[in-house]
Amino acid sequence: MNILLVAINAKYIHSNLAVCSLQAYAKKQGYPVQVAEYTINQRTETILEEIYRRKPDLLAFSCYIWNVDYVTEIAEEFHKLCPEVPLWAGGPEVSFETEAFLDGHPCFTGVMMGEGEYTFSQLCGAYEQTLSGRLETEERLKEIDGISFRRTDGTIAVSPLKRLLSMDEIPFCYADLSDFEHRIIYYESSRGCPFRCSYCLSSVDKTLRFRSLSLVFEELQFFLDHRVPQVKFVDRTFNCRAEHAMAIWEYIKEHDNGITNFHFEVSADLLRADQLRLIADMRPGLIQLEIGVQSTHEETIREIRRTMNLAEVRAAVEQVKKQRNIHQHLDLIAGLPFEDYETFQKSFDEIYAWKPDQLQLGFLKVLKGSYMYEHAGEYGMVYQTRAPYEVYCTKWLSFDEMLRIRLVEEMLEMHYNSGQFRTALGVLEKVYDSPFQMFLELGTFYRNQGYASCHHTRVRRSEIFYEFAVNADPEHGALYREALLFDLYKTENTKSRPKWSADSVKNPRQAVQFLKRQGLEKKYCHIEPFSHLTIQDGEIVLTDTDSARWILFDYEKRDPLTNQADIREVDIG
């Protein structure tokens, strides 16, 4: 029997742990399942053709908010071509309101609800028996837990999930890494979450389970031995069991191969003093942390049933940042209940002031099955009918205000999260009491000048930033020019320069002679004079002198956290 599992990922660099895990468990039970992975950037016609050529006897799709429209379109077209092939769906996007999904998509035979390894293997066994004629399909499907399926009379049968697997029963699915080159590896050492955040589907899973550390160590060593660039743990709150987290961090520190990076989603206020000491002693770039703050408004935090001590979160974030060895990614959500425009701006400004490596400004998604979905009416939430179900407005936040927040998010991504304007932003921030207002005015400038609808090079974006900055702060034009030029060169040895910087190198011959004397003329580097910037303790700081300081940008030595050039002052003589 030819069984095919299909995943349609958001980007090529992503892999799909769910279908790989289902495949590994099914193979362990004796079912030779194949996996096909695509992306939402591919034409649906191309995906349809490839699936058709594989001639599946049973076809199942992994469904998420980013791909469900692609999945249903492809499934409907495939069903026209091969109406005899049973089509199944699974994943968080279809695990709730399954009867409505099947009513709306008659091409599908059924839905697997919740965790899929055991259920999918049972499904494979059912079709193996029915295709061989030993049992009727409906008779066999009635024996499987955790599915909804269409009976022969057109009605829908629902069999709730009764068994959750131990984490140790789930096979390791990465024995062959040939399909994962240049892609992120996802790994889980636990399932479930102890918290009950109202917007999150993890709050539905009441059972928290951990994989045995002996297995985790063995599997992490496999990644280390194969020098995998990055492993992202998908544990919902990795450090919810302190001993489990500590043991894993100790292991990867002790066995660090100098290459592999590990990503963890943590609750910062649960980080213990001994954990903070341990990670402070790690190789820069060995781990990175994602921390969901979401809001600093106390009433909102209570209403979304989030357990968080904000003062302890801030203290942990600042302590980690002080060590300069761990990338920190903080999350903020717009559209939460009881947060209006003013309180959201305050949340943004407070979290931005912590200066994380990235600040992800997301928008609330009202996910089926979540507490937020059940109470959306009470909150006056108007949101997208189709995935990804993002909120347009609430009782407290109008659509006009949400559009302004979206403008801030665009500018934040372009100028802060890209890491390409940090020095120039540091200058501009001194003009504004509110970073939120700074990004809003920058975004408004983009729109008013007609810049928002165009794709710009980095050099052109620098010119636009300068145009905005000198309009907001005309007294410091020279400082902005230097800061923007520094930001350009710290990332790459750009051959193009902004139109206002063509004559900034006063003595290029002297610079070339210095490189030759130092044996650097063939090295991938650049030197540039600055009068308003200098380096202290490895950080760029503002100054103001008559004489230029020369800074060498060494692109063969890069910061492991930012990938930016190593910088140092040099005396070119």
Side-chain angles (χ1 to χ4, degrees):
M1 185 172 67
N2 185 6
I3 307 168
L4 182 63
L5 272 171
V6 173
I8 303 177
N9 303 321
K11 297 179 181 178
Y12 172 77
I13 195 172
H14 298 162
S15 58
N16 189 296
L17 176 59
V19 295
C20 294
S21 188
L22 265 62
Q23 179 192 41
Y25 189 83
K27 281 189 172 181
K28 185 178 178 183
Q29 310 307 313
Y31 305 113
V33 174
Q34 300 299 312
V35 163
E37 294 194 51
Y38 307 98
T39 78
I40 60 175
N41 299 310
Q42 293 177 263
R43 295 171 66 244
T44 54
E45 295 86 350
T46 301
I47 300 174
L48 173 64
E49 179 181 338
E50 290 194 16
I51 293 173
Y52 176 81
R53 289 182 183 280
R54 299 182 75 147
K55 304 296 183 185
D57 298 308
L58 172 62
L59 178 59
F61 292 90
S62 176
C63 301
Y64 298 87
I65 56 175
W66 64 80
N67 73 4
V68 67
D69 289 337
Y70 286 80
V71 166
T72 53
E73 179 182 346
I74 293 165
E76 287 165 4
E77 300 307 314
F78 181 86
H79 183 65
K80 294 176 186 177
L81 298 169
C82 305
E84 74 286 355
V85 177
L87 302 183
W88 284 76
E93 179 53 25
V94 295
S95 286
F96 305 93
E97 300 186 352
T98 56
E99 294 178 69
F101 176 81
L102 291 174
D103 283 339
H105 302 91
C107 61
F108 280 95
T109 308
V111 173
M112 294 173 283
M113 303 178 294
E115 291 187 13
E117 286 91 355
Y118 180 74
T119 302
F120 181 65
S121 68
Q122 293 290 296
L123 202 64
C124 293
Y127 278 102
E128 184 179 66
Q129 290 181 329
T130 58
L131 290 175
S132 65
R134 295 198 298 272
L135 281 174
E136 291 295 324
T137 303
E138 186 172 321
E139 178 185 348
R140 184 64 180 88
L141 292 180
K142 286 191 296 187
E143 301 173 1
I144 301 175
D145 295 332
I147 63 171
S148 294
F149 68 94
R150 199 183 311 279
R151 299 187 183 100
T152 52
D153 63 3
T155 59
I156 307 297
V158 180
S159 303
L161 185 65
K162 292 182 180 176
R163 182 188 176 196
L164 289 176
L165 294 174
S166 157
M167 287 293 291
D168 290 357
E169 292 182 74
I170 301 169
F172 184 62
C173 59
Y174 293 114
D176 181 4
L177 289 174
S178 58
D179 292 333
F180 298 95
E181 285 190 46
H182 311 298
R183 301 171 74 192
I184 298 170
I185 297 288
Y186 295 94
Y187 180 80
E188 59 182 350
S189 70
S190 67
R191 284 184 181 176
C193 182
F195 304 115
R196 298 291 177 262
C197 302
S198 64
Y199 52 83
C200 183
L201 284 181
S202 296
S203 64
V204 178
D205 186 353
K206 303 295 193 293
T207 307
L208 185 58
R209 290 158 291 151
F210 293 85
R211 198 164 179 82
S212 295
L213 286 171
S214 58
L215 280 177
V216 173
F217 296 158
E218 179 183 331
E219 291 157 2
L220 294 184
Q221 192 58 51
F222 176 85
F223 297 138
L224 292 163
D225 291 343
H226 286 80
R227 304 171 84 79
V228 170
Q230 185 177 54
V231 176
K232 295 191 78 168
F233 276 66
V234 296
D235 303 44
R236 298 313 303 156
T237 305
F238 173 74
N239 62 327
C240 63
R241 179 183 286 180
E243 293 74 17
H244 181 83
M246 189 70 170
I248 291 174
W249 282 340
E250 286 175 338
Y251 187 90
I252 63 175
K253 179 178 182 296
E254 182 180 344
H255 296 84
D256 180 16
N257 62 10
I259 294 173
T260 304
N261 163 266
F262 295 91
H263 175 105
F264 302 94
E265 187 172 339
V266 302
S267 182
D269 52 335
L270 295 183
L271 289 170
R272 304 184 318 195
D274 58 339
Q275 292 174 329
L276 290 167
R277 286 194 297 270
L278 174 68
I279 64 178
D281 196 37
M282 288 180 174
R283 165 180 64 86
L286 174 58
I287 72 169
Q288 60 190 52
L289 302 179
E290 180 175 352
I291 299 166
V293 184
Q294 320 310 9
S295 174
T296 65
H297 185 50
E298 290 186 6
E299 194 173 6
T300 294
I301 294 170
R302 285 194 302 271
E303 183 63 21
I304 62 177
R305 307 192 299 177
R306 185 160 180 76
T307 304
M308 180 175 68
N309 184 311
L310 191 62
E312 292 180 0
V313 170
R314 177 172 184 170
V317 168
E318 291 179 344
Q319 186 168 344
V320 170
K321 182 178 177 59
K322 192 188 310 179
Q323 304 303 320
R324 300 183 187 176
N325 69 325
I326 293 173
H327 175 100
Q328 290 189 98
H329 172 139
L330 303 190
D331 293 329
L332 178 66
I333 297 178
L336 293 171
F338 292 99
E339 187 148 65
D340 60 18
Y341 188 73
E342 287 71 27
T343 53
F344 179 81
Q345 177 174 331
K346 183 172 180 289
S347 288
F348 181 96
D349 289 343
E350 288 180 346
I351 298 174
Y352 184 85
W354 302 353
K355 287 293 186 287
D357 297 287
Q358 280 199 320
L359 172 54
Q360 186 72 46
L361 198 174
F363 298 88
L364 179 66
K365 296 173 178 60
V366 183
L367 303 177
K368 296 174 186 175
S370 68
Y371 178 91
M372 191 70 69
Y373 177 77
E374 296 172 1
H375 295 267
E378 298 173 25
Y379 301 140
M381 288 180 175
V382 178
Y383 58 93
Q384 296 171 334
T385 302
R386 301 175 68 86
Y389 315 114
E390 282 190 353
V391 165
Y392 290 132
C393 57
T394 70
K395 275 184 181 179
W396 304 273
L397 199 61
S398 72
F399 187 50
D400 284 330
E401 292 167 334
M402 188 67 85
L403 289 177
R404 292 200 287 273
I405 294 173
R406 288 186 180 279
L407 195 55
V408 168
E409 187 269 341
E410 290 176 27
M411 295 298 105
L412 180 74
E413 284 296 310
M414 184 185 302
H415 297 93
Y416 185 83
N417 287 341
S418 69
Q420 295 175 359
F421 292 85
R422 292 294 183 88
T423 311
L425 282 173
V427 180
L428 188 60
E429 287 166 13
K430 299 180 185 302
V431 182
Y432 289 88
D433 294 330
S434 164
F436 181 94
Q437 192 63 30
M438 175 186 71
F439 284 114
L440 178 59
E441 290 187 17
L442 179 57
T444 303
F445 178 78
Y446 258 78
R447 293 279 174 88
N448 291 345
Q449 299 299 317
Y451 297 146
S453 58
C454 304
H455 176 74
H456 303 288
T457 64
R458 281 194 60 207
V459 169
R460 179 60 185 139
R461 289 203 302 271
S462 294
E463 292 171 346
I464 294 171
F465 189 99
Y466 176 73
E467 185 182 346
F468 171 78
V470 295
N471 184 61
D473 183 20
E475 295 182 7
H476 297 97
L479 182 53
Y480 287 112
R481 288 195 295 271
E482 284 202 1
L484 287 164
L485 198 60
F486 175 84
D487 282 334
L488 274 172
Y489 277 114
K490 72 179 179 180
T491 301
E492 60 180 323
N493 191 4
T494 178
K495 302 305 178 187
S496 301
R497 293 166 70 95
K499 57 188 178 184
W500 37 256
S501 68
D503 299 325
S504 64
V505 179
K506 303 296 184 184
N507 195 345
R509 180 178 298 177
Q510 188 179 6
V512 171
Q513 290 173 346
F514 167 79
L515 292 175
K516 286 183 178 180
R517 289 197 307 271
Q518 299 296 318
L520 299 174
E521 70 276 15
K522 294 183 179 179
K523 190 172 176 138
Y524 186 34
C525 63
H526 173 79
I527 58 174
E528 185 78 25
F530 295 94
S531 298
H532 300 280
L533 305 175
T534 188
I535 301 172
Q536 291 181 6
D537 298 325
E539 297 287 325
I540 199 72
V541 295
L542 306 180
T543 185
D544 198 357
T545 61
D546 294 331
S547 59
R549 294 178 172 84
W550 291 80
I551 294 180
L552 172 70
F553 299 82
D554 187 342
Y555 303 102
E556 295 181 8
K557 295 179 182 177
R558 290 184 177 268
D559 187 301
L561 300 188
T562 65
N563 199 39
Q564 293 171 350
D566 180 69
I567 56 171
R568 62 181 183 274
E569 283 190 22
V570 294
D571 182 2
I572 68 170

